[in-house]
């Protein structure tokens, strides 16, 4: 997993609430057995006409947002299915950070496994960043994970909260499985105990 | 000892390691696997030279991609779908996990197969790379969906890195009125809390109306906990649960059954347990409901009218405007005036035997409206066989329904069962998102009885008029 420490990039506004994982990556693209290559179909049904041509007024098709690295979104982003193809598609497109008032639980966890930082902020902060993002290519935002700050285009600073363990993994690009396997003795001990207490499992 | 909720008790029984900051390794008793969210996880294991830690606790079945026509015995035509199913065939064999291949009569939707085979038991932790894993909470098991990276993590370590969620109690008091089902309960709860209302919580459903439900109904309720944003839904196990589990192929037997039962009977929330949020809905206030929009929270009683964007506030105003446009509906029109092209009965929400019985009860001796496309997709091969034995298949066929093989089918339309552009469907599935059942397809979520009623009249219909 690629480390996430500091990110500077264009923020694209997507104020719609309840953007679900079917919108982020429709199921017709879930048939791949790879983790990469989903970026071209990110937001497919919102982004393209049926004939494959681009829908001009979709935010990521506008010239000033084509290289966006950050999304500022409406409430409950990523609701719906558990498909990790959603963060894979965002990452493959180049999005490394999503900012919203709330995220669906599974999507939120999936982001951290892929070097994407989801940031939860109060409504007023999201409104401010949404306004910044609406300014197009001038809306360059800097995310500093170490210091948990967001710097807007006019120099204003917003702080955010993030779970300490998740932050540590992102900052260092750590592989969860490797970390857990270091605790194999605890898992062995648990299994031995559970085999006594609940042998039917 | 301080009082605990059911969630607290299951959680505490599964913590294999706890760090100072509360980050836990939660031991996983059952890992269910399907073909769409697992290939990258198995590939990850191979690349790192890792194995499946507990193959005996890992159960795989293909369901999302499989065609539901009888000719599937000759193989899957769509190449990508075939490759994905073949990858699961190979992974199951290579890693030595339990497997129900496409042509096994026990094959079906993973969340129907797990309980049916007795893999899902009270007090367990159950995960699957699928959000509707919440279904298994009906047994008093802590069950939730995970992403593919977490699938790989569970395969390799049999644990998940987790922090504990908060406790929410949803009580449905009293009795349900005639024509009101588990589907109406679960949709009504989402209608009240919103699709983000449960975020950060595990919900325990309780109250007389929940106790009165069969296991099938309880699975329907817990299945859609995820649509309410919750990590999981739970219902405390009781005699109904024990009767369902007993004798299933992988349920404990003999002395182990007695030992298991003794523990299962301790799995309830203590009277003075702490709840972070509590919601109470009188069962008698719940009506048969339908969704009008493109979010499962867009719920109204069937007697209602299509709302106007101005009825909402904040970001929901624009969302409602977009939904009405997508759904092709005009504010103020009666929901019962909405004409339907297609009816889909099936899915992990409503693809069990009781659901098929409820739909057949309405359809008995009747025909679907001319030109209507109607499909029943049983949740498993065994549900299908039982429905045939009970004569339900005959009722569906005579009414004009297609009688299909088991799978997820039109719930997410990854296989050939899809809506075409503008096609409007009354569906017993769980999501009415844009494009969910096919590009520009329009979905109204309903109970099986309501779906059957709509098939007969050709419009959204109050099932109570047909009872």
């Amino acid at each position: 997993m690629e480390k996430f420490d500091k990110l500077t990039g264009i923020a694209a506004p997507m104020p719609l609430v309840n953007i679900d994982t079917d919108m982020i990556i429709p199921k017709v693209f879930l048939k791949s057995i790879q983790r990469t290559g989903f970026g071209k179909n990110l937001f497919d049904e919102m982004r393209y006409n049926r004939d494959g041509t681009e829908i001009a007024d979709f935010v990521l098709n506008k010239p000033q947002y084509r290289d966006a690295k950050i999304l500022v979104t409406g409430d409950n982003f990523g609701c719906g299915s558990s498909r990790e193809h959603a963060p894979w598609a965002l990452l493959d497109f180049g999005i490394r950070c999503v900012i919203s008032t709330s995220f669906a639980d599974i999507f939120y966890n999936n982001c951290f496994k892929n070097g994407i930082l989801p940031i939860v902020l109060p409504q007023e902060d999201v409104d401010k960043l949404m306004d910044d993002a609406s300014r197009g290519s001038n809306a360059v935002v800097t995310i500093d994970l170490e210091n948990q700050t967001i710097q807007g285009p006019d120099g204003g600073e917003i702080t955010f909260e993030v779970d300490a363990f998740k932050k540590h993994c992102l900052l260092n690009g750590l592989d969860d499985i490797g970390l857990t396997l270091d605790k194999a003795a605890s898992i062995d001990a648990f299994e031995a105990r559970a085999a006594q207490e609940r042998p039917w499992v | 000892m301080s009082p605990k909720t059911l969630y607290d008790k299951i959680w505490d029984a599964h913590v294999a390691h706890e760090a100072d900051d509360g980050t836990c390794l939660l031991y996983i008793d059952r890992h269910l696997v399907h073909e769409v969210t697992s290939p990258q996880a198995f590939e990850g294991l191979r690349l790192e030279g890792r194995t499946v830690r507990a193959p005996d606790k890992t159960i795989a079945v293909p369901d999302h991609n499989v065609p539901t026509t009888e000719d599937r015995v000759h193989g899957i035509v769509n190449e990508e779908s075939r490759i994905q199913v073949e990858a699961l065939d190979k992974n199951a064999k290579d890693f030595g996990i339990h497997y129900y291949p496409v042509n096994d009569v026990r094959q079906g939707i993973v969340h129907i197969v797990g309980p049916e085979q007795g893999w899902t038991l009270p007090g367990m932790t159950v995960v699957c790379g699928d959000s509707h894993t919440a279904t298994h909470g009906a047994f008093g098991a802590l069950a939730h969906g995970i992403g593919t990276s977490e699938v790989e993590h569970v395969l390799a370590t049999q644990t998940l890195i987790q922090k504990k969620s908060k406790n929410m109690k949803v009580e449905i008091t009293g009795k349900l009125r005639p024509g009101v089902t588990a589907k109406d309960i679960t949709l009504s709860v989402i209608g009240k809390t919103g699709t983000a209302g449960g975020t950060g919580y595990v919900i325990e459903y309780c109250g007389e109306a929940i106790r009165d439900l069969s296991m099938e109904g309880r699975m329907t309720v817990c299945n859609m906990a995820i649509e309410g944003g919750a990590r999981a839904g739970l219902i405390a196990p009781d005699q109904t649960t024990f009767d369902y589990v007993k004798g299933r192929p992988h349920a404990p037997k003999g002395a182990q059954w007695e030992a298991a039962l003794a523990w299962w009977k301790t799995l309830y929330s203590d009277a003075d347990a702490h709840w972070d949020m509590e919601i109470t809905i009188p069962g008698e206030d719940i009506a048969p409901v339908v969704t009008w929009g493109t979010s499962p929270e867009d719920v109204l009683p069937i007697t209602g009218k299509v709302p106007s964007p101005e009825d909402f506030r904040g970001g929901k105003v624009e969302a409602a405007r977009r939904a009405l446009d997508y759904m092709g509906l005009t504010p103020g029109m009666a929901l019962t005036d909405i004409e339907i092209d297609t009816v889909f009965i099936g899915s992990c929400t409503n693809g069990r035997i009781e659901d098929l019985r409820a739909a057949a009860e309405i359809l008995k001796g009747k025909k679907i409206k001319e030109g209507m496309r109607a499909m029943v997709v049983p949740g498993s091969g065994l549900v299908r066989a039982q429905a045939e034995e009970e004569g339900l298949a005959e009722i569906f066929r005579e009414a004009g329904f297609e009688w299909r093989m088991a799978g997820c089918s039109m719930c997410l339309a990854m296989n050939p069962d899809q809506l075409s552009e503008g096609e409007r469907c009354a569906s017993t599935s769980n999501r009415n998102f844009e494009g969910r059942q096919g590009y520009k397809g329009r979905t109204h979520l309903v109970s099986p009885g309501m779906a059957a009623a709509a098939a007969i009249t050709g419009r959204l219909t109050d099932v109570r008029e047909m009872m």
Side-chain angles (χ1 to χ4, degrees), chain B residues 311-385:
Chain B
D311 297 342
F312 300 93
R313 277 183 295 179
K316 192 68 188 170
V317 176
E318 184 52 33
R321 188 171 291 126
R322 184 182 168 99
L324 290 173
D325 179 55
Y326 182 88
M327 294 296 290
L329 297 175
T330 313
M333 78 186 283
L335 292 168
T336 48
D337 285 341
I338 297 174
E339 292 187 0
I340 296 295
D341 306 303
T342 301
V343 167
F344 171 69
I345 297 176
S347 85
C348 57
T349 312
N350 283 129
R352 284 168 286 268
I353 190 70
E354 185 177 282
D355 302 313
L356 304 196
R357 286 183 194 139
E361 182 68 29
I362 301 295
L363 288 166
K364 200 168 188 174
K366 298 200 175 75
K367 297 275 183 207
I368 62 173
K369 191 168 185 216
E370 207 181 319
M372 174 73 58
R373 173 188 179 205
M375 189 191 291
V376 187
V377 182
S380 73
L382 293 179
V383 169
R384 181 178 147 104

Side-chain angles (χ1 to χ4, degrees), chain B residues 3 115 127 146 209 219 348 371 385 391 409 414 416 464:
Chain B
V127 296
I146 54 178
M219 284 189 257
C348 57
S409 179
M414 265 192 87
R464 292 171 295 194

Side-chain angles (χ1 to χ4, degrees), chain B residues 33-34 42 64 81 86 96 107 109 145 168 239 333 369 438:
Chain B
V33 174
H34 67 72
F42 285 111
H64 282 55
S81 295
E86 284 173 357
Q107 178 271 345
I109 306 171
M168 187 195 297
Q239 198 57 46
M333 78 186 283
K369 191 168 185 216

Side-chain angles (χ1 to χ4, degrees), chain B residues 208-252:
Chain B
E208 187 183 353
I210 298 290
R211 287 278 136 239
D212 284 350
L213 292 174
S214 65
M215 284 316 296
E216 285 83 354
R218 294 179 188 187
M219 284 189 257
T220 301
V221 170
C222 288
N223 173 274
M224 290 191 71
I226 184 67
E227 270 68 45
R231 170 158 297 175
L234 282 173
I235 295 174
D238 59 10
Q239 198 57 46
T240 302
T241 323
F242 310 143
D243 291 345
Y244 179 97
V245 169
K246 194 165 191 183
R248 300 214 168 244
H250 296 280

Side-chain angles (χ1 to χ4, degrees), chain A residues 72-126:
Chain A
V72 185
T73 76
D75 309 341
N76 198 29
F77 187 83
C79 57
S81 117
S82 66
R83 60 188 71 164
E84 199 161 319
H85 310 68
W88 292 339
L90 288 166
L91 187 67
D92 201 49
F93 179 90
I95 303 288
R96 294 290 310 275
C97 176
V98 187
I99 299 170
S100 180
T101 55
S102 60
F103 292 91
D105 188 42
I106 305 174
F107 174 83
Y108 184 78
N109 284 324
N110 284 342
C111 283
F112 285 99
K113 313 288 182 190
N114 291 283
I116 297 174
L117 175 63
I119 299 178
V120 179
L121 291 176
Q123 186 71 55
E124 60 189 51
D125 288 340
V126 173

